[in-house]
Amino acid sequence: MQTHFVATPFGRRAMSLGMIASQAAARDIPAGTRANKWEVFRHIREARDLIGATDRGLAILNALLSFHPEPELAGDGELVVWPSNEQLMARANGMPATTLRRHLAILVDCGLIIRRDSPNGKRFARKGRDGEIQQAYGFDLSPVLARAAEFGALAESVQAEKKALRVARERLTLLRRDIVKMIDTAIEEKVPGNWGRVLLTYQEIISRLPRNAGRLVAEDVATDLHGLWTELREVLESFAKTQISVANESHSGRHIQNSKPDSNLESIDSEKKKSAAAVDPTTNNVHVLPERELPLTIVLDACPTIGWLAKGGEPIRSWRELLAAAGIARSTLGVSPSAWEEARTAMGDKQAAITIAGIYQRSEQISSAGGYLRSLTDKAREGKYSALPMIMALLRARLDDARKPDGGGGEGASPKNEVPQSSSRPLEISEALKRSFGKPKGSA
């Protein structure tokens, strides 16, 4: 039976109010209190961040508990263990002495153990004639028993927090997947809407999400994403109902599904512009023939400067390569990604690429390429825009330069016109097209 509880640590170690509180809690343990030491240790390990313990400190606490002979800690039993530093280092997987002392101090500060130092700082136990321990000096495990219920509650709260974080991350993953696929579906099915701006809104919300987001941040971002998800779902459902009703009213319509992902760049659109319906089919004025699809060669003849931006310096041979070069030209012109996405949504990839090529060809004459592209995008939404007049005007300018004595390539010619893919071959157009350029303005 212990005759005296030592309250102050040995040597230069300072006393603290936390130590006094731990000793008071250990002194008030009811006699019949019991707890499985390994179960309590598991709770401490799960709640170590809330308690303030370290992984090395837990390794030392595990070693100290192993020196207690019984599987349970009892309020009426002996709770002081007195291993030497060598024994502790051996059971703590060879931990260095300096590390051992530092983390023992952390365990004391966390209120997990109490130092019961002898007058000379040694750890030992004094036994009576009957072998019963009368006085022990070492480390008191009473706080582990006294705070067993507290550690259990902390462990439950940690588990609940982990579960809530896991649920929030799962919700984030599902919302992100749904939103991205709904936007892709809307663009592919040509659902009316400013999908470029919607995509920017989604990216702005996601940018608030750090790499290792906590539960509160994850739930906040998930709430904003859910609002966007709700709006997208309502738009798509409304559009789907409209399409179904139109399909039910028309018994002669056919649904054609194209499985080629690049068909929007390589194929010719079957639908004609509304403005072309009122054009007189008997006229041979090319400026009023939007029904005719612009060949890629005509676009490249009218806009030779875009050839400098082709990948690897190779000639542009497909609409996909023109679209890639237009993306680079967009950045060079200072057109924002949002303006580019809006143009592609309103005009289609092919028309947007032709438009950027024309703007890049006339970049020296256009002060604000981004503003000019947005104005053309607004016209395209109203069905009042076609890239054909721009390309025809550029072709006329090139033909006028070709008729000059110096061929338009004088000493002050812009180096942009020296594009390999256009300068390596003459400008070839049909005779009807040449005669159209030669007609005075206003003639039919």
Side-chain angles (χ1 to χ4, degrees), residues 371-393:
Y372 185 52
L373 180 62
R374 287 188 184 275
S375 66
L376 297 180
T377 301
D378 294 337
K379 292 182 179 180
R381 292 195 186 99
E382 300 172 359
K384 300 179 181 179
Y385 171 73
S386 173
L388 182 62
M390 177 188 294
I391 297 302
M392 293 300 106

Side-chain angles (χ1 to χ4, degrees), residues 151-401:
F151 295 146
L154 290 176
E156 289 182 2
S157 66
V158 169
Q159 290 297 327
E161 183 70 16
K162 288 182 179 179
K163 182 179 179 180
L165 177 60
R166 183 168 61 252
V167 171
R169 288 178 175 175
E170 290 175 357
R171 186 186 180 201
L172 269 177
T173 301
L174 293 175
L175 286 171
R176 294 177 66 175
R177 184 181 69 190
D178 290 352
I179 290 174
V180 170
K181 292 195 175 183
M182 283 194 291
I183 293 176
D184 290 343
T185 301
I187 295 175
E188 183 179 353
E189 298 293 338
K190 295 181 174 58
V191 180
N194 192 345
W195 300 110
R197 191 175 300 277
V198 173
L199 185 59
L200 286 178
T201 302
Y202 165 74
Q203 292 174 349
E204 289 176 359
I205 297 175
I206 293 300
S207 65
R208 306 199 328 255
L209 194 65
R211 182 177 295 273
N212 294 320
R215 178 181 60 85
L216 296 178
V217 176
E219 290 179 349
D220 182 56
V221 173
T223 300
D224 293 345
L225 285 178
H226 186 266
L228 181 61
W229 177 86
T230 303
E231 295 177 4
L232 288 173
R233 185 194 61 185
E234 292 176 354
V235 170
L236 292 180
E237 288 180 353
S238 176
F239 183 78
K241 291 178 181 178
T242 304
Q243 294 298 103
I244 292 174
S245 62
V246 171
N248 291 337
E249 293 174 0
S250 176
H251 300 282
S252 60
R254 294 182 301 168
H255 175 66
I256 302 176
Q257 182 176 358
N258 192 344
S259 60
K260 296 181 180 180
D262 299 332
S263 60
N264 60 331
L265 297 178
E266 301 295 341
S267 64
I268 299 177
D269 298 334
S270 60
E271 296 182 359
K272 308 300 181 180
K273 294 184 178 294
K274 295 180 179 179
S275 59
V279 176
D280 184 4
T282 61
T283 179
N284 59 356
N285 189 342
V286 296
H287 293 282
V288 290
L289 287 179
E291 298 278 356
R292 185 178 301 172
E293 189 72 16
L294 275 173
L296 178 61
T297 54
I298 294 295
V299 175
L300 296 177
D301 283 334
C303 311
T305 57
I306 198 71
W308 282 109
L309 305 179
K311 184 178 180 181
E314 297 293 331
I316 296 176
R317 295 187 177 88
S318 66
W319 289 109
R320 172 165 287 279
E321 293 177 2
L322 178 63
L323 181 61
I328 301 175
R330 186 275 308 167
S331 177
T332 304
L333 292 169
V335 177
S336 65
S338 61
W340 173 233
E341 290 299 327
E342 291 176 11
R344 293 177 64 180
T345 302
M347 303 178 186
D349 287 340
K350 187 186 296 184
Q351 290 291 318
I354 296 173
T355 302
I356 284 292
I359 295 176
Y360 189 72
Q361 183 70 25
R362 300 170 53 199
S363 59
E364 296 178 357
Q365 305 171 15
I366 299 175
S367 58
S368 175
Y372 185 52
L373 180 62
R374 287 188 184 275
S375 66
L376 297 180
T377 301
D378 294 337
K379 292 182 179 180
R381 292 195 186 99
E382 300 172 359
K384 300 179 181 179
Y385 171 73
S386 173
L388 182 62
M390 177 188 294
I391 297 302
M392 293 300 106
L394 291 172
L395 276 176
R396 181 191 294 274
R398 289 207 65 202
L399 284 175
D400 292 342
D401 291 341

Side-chain angles (χ1 to χ4, degrees), residues 28-43:
D28 296 337
I29 298 176
T33 304
R34 288 181 174 273
N36 186 289
K37 62 182 181 181
W38 300 122
E39 183 179 356
V40 179
F41 176 75
R42 184 173 66 253
H43 294 162

